[in-house]
Amino acid sequence: MERVTSGGTLPALLLASLGVCLLYRILCRLLGGDSLQDAVVVITGASSGLGRECAHVFHSAGARLVLCGRDAGRLQRVVEELNANARDGKQQTCVPSTVIFDLSDVASMEKAAQDILKCYRRVDVLINNAGISYRGNILDTHLSVQRDVMETNYFGPVALTQALLPAMVRQRSGHIVVISSVQGKIAIPYRSAYAASKHATQAYFDCLRAEVERYGIPVTVISPGYIRTNLSVNAVTGDGTKYGFVDRTTATGRDPRDVAHAVLKAVRHKSKDVVLAGPLPTVAIYLRTLWPALFFKLMSSRARKENKPKNT
């Protein structure tokens, strides 16, 4: 009789745990997460693509924005769009500030951080969004291209984060977000520089999360799949020239506005690691860990089929 009782205990505990988790998720949805009204949100790469959509979504949520990018004119156009939307909306919003800098110029990140802090004297959310993609065959790729992609996608966000981090530690609050990629978890052919930079990004911010938790600073890594932006058009090739094509996978990717809303949700709920991808990339992530031999075989097959990576 005792065996029957103890044997039924584990399933009961599992069901109870699942019930608690489900209830927690329902409550989170009902409560909507933390309010971002008047929170200072810094967005890099805010002049186009996902960064621009994040600016719209966070501005609508009432955040005080600091929009960062290389092109002052394009950033100003985003500011004008946001101000026009604010006049038509009911949410209380603030006129965004802008800070101009080139993320690949790592030596300028201390100055960039000072300029950012001058806007509102604090940073509540840093969204490291800016980046560059790459398409090319490793055999034909200059080492300088590998370095350039790493400077923009890895060293730039790391330098800016470390420059702003002391202010967050002093205020014992803040939230660091990085837009990584599914390719930060799996590597696919003809994306070596990009995948390497995103793998490094994933590792760094995973370490950072553990180290700054004691200061009340959450770290969120968001790994989207393909998004319908100009990322592939502006990607660099093996000799450093622009790729200039919209990939089929990019053209059929997620709507950047939907991804921006997912970023907002992750910030509100202080999520740690978010994968925004379809079934196949998600399966591939698990396959890389659980059955690496099969994953490598599939990638080798893909490399042979994609002998010329354009339009793939």
Side-chain angles (χ1 to χ4, degrees):
M1 188 68 179
E2 290 180 358
R3 290 181 182 176
V4 174
T5 303
S6 61
T9 302
L10 183 57
L13 287 174
L14 288 174
L15 286 173
S17 299
L18 288 172
V20 170
C21 290
L22 181 61
L23 179 61
Y24 174 76
R25 294 185 67 175
I26 292 172
L27 286 173
C28 285
R29 288 182 181 179
L30 291 174
L31 293 173
D34 290 348
S35 171
L36 288 166
Q37 184 66 49
D38 294 327
V40 178
V41 178
V42 178
I43 304 173
T44 67
S47 62
S48 64
L50 179 59
R52 174 178 169 274
E53 296 301 335
C54 282
H56 278 272
V57 168
F58 279 84
H59 190 250
S60 295
R64 292 181 288 176
L65 297 183
V66 182
L67 305 180
C68 305
R70 295 179 297 178
D71 190 316
R74 292 173 68 186
L75 281 179
Q76 186 56 39
R77 284 195 288 274
V78 176
V79 170
E80 291 169 1
E81 291 174 5
L82 297 176
N83 290 339
N85 291 343
R87 288 192 290 269
D88 298 332
K90 297 179 180 180
Q91 179 74 33
Q92 181 182 348
T93 57
C94 300
V95 176
S97 300
T98 60
V99 177
I100 314 303
F101 60 87
D102 186 345
L103 198 65
S104 66
D105 183 8
V106 175
S108 69
M109 288 306 100
E110 287 288 345
K111 170 71 164 52
Q114 293 172 11
D115 291 341
I116 288 170
L117 288 170
K118 285 178 183 176
C119 294
Y120 298 105
R121 300 184 182 277
R122 64 182 289 121
V123 172
D124 296 307
V125 182
L126 167 63
I127 301 178
N128 289 294
N129 164 73
I132 188 171
S133 193
Y134 155 89
R135 304 287 189 276
N137 188 317
I138 290 174
L139 289 172
D140 302 324
T141 299
H142 300 171
L143 184 59
S144 61
V145 172
Q146 302 277 3
R147 289 183 184 277
D148 288 345
V149 174
M150 192 66 75
E151 288 287 344
T152 299
N153 289 359
Y154 175 71
F155 286 109
V158 166
L160 181 61
T161 297
Q162 292 193 183
L164 290 172
L165 192 58
M168 291 186 177
V169 171
R170 285 194 297 272
Q171 69 193 33
R172 293 282 167 163
S173 67
H175 190 160
I176 297 168
V177 181
V178 60
I179 307 300
S180 182
S181 167
V182 167
Q183 292 181 49
K185 295 178 179 292
I186 56 173
I188 64 175
Y190 307 113
R191 306 290 192 274
S192 61
Y194 184 74
S197 68
K198 294 301 184 179
H199 271 69
T201 296
Q202 179 81 50
Y204 172 87
F205 284 93
D206 281 352
C207 292
L208 180 66
R209 182 187 300 111
E211 293 183 24
V212 300
E213 184 179 16
R214 73 190 72 177
Y215 303 114
I217 302 171
V219 174
T220 300
V221 177
I222 298 178
S223 301
Y226 294 104
I227 309 172
R228 292 198 305 271
T229 67
N230 286 327
L231 190 66
S232 68
V233 174
N234 297 320
V236 293
T237 62
D239 62 2
T241 59
K242 282 192 176 183
Y243 183 66
F245 290 87
V246 177
D247 291 337
R248 176 179 54 80
T249 47
T250 300
T252 58
R254 285 176 175 244
D255 187 325
R257 178 59 65 95
D258 291 341
V259 178
H261 279 289
V263 174
L264 176 67
K265 180 180 177 182
V267 169
R268 279 180 164 160
H269 294 291
K270 296 182 172 60
S271 304
K272 291 180 171 61
D273 195 83
V274 179
V275 176
L276 301 173
L280 284 178
T282 303
V283 168
I285 292 171
Y286 287 104
L287 194 64
R288 172 63 179 83
T289 302
L290 301 174
W291 197 353
L294 177 58
F295 175 82
F296 297 145
K297 187 174 182 178
L298 291 172
M299 290 303 102
S300 295
S301 175
R302 174 170 176 159
R304 286 192 294 270
K305 291 178 181 177
E306 296 180 7
N307 195 18
K308 293 183 180 180
K310 288 187 179 182
N311 298 321
T312 59

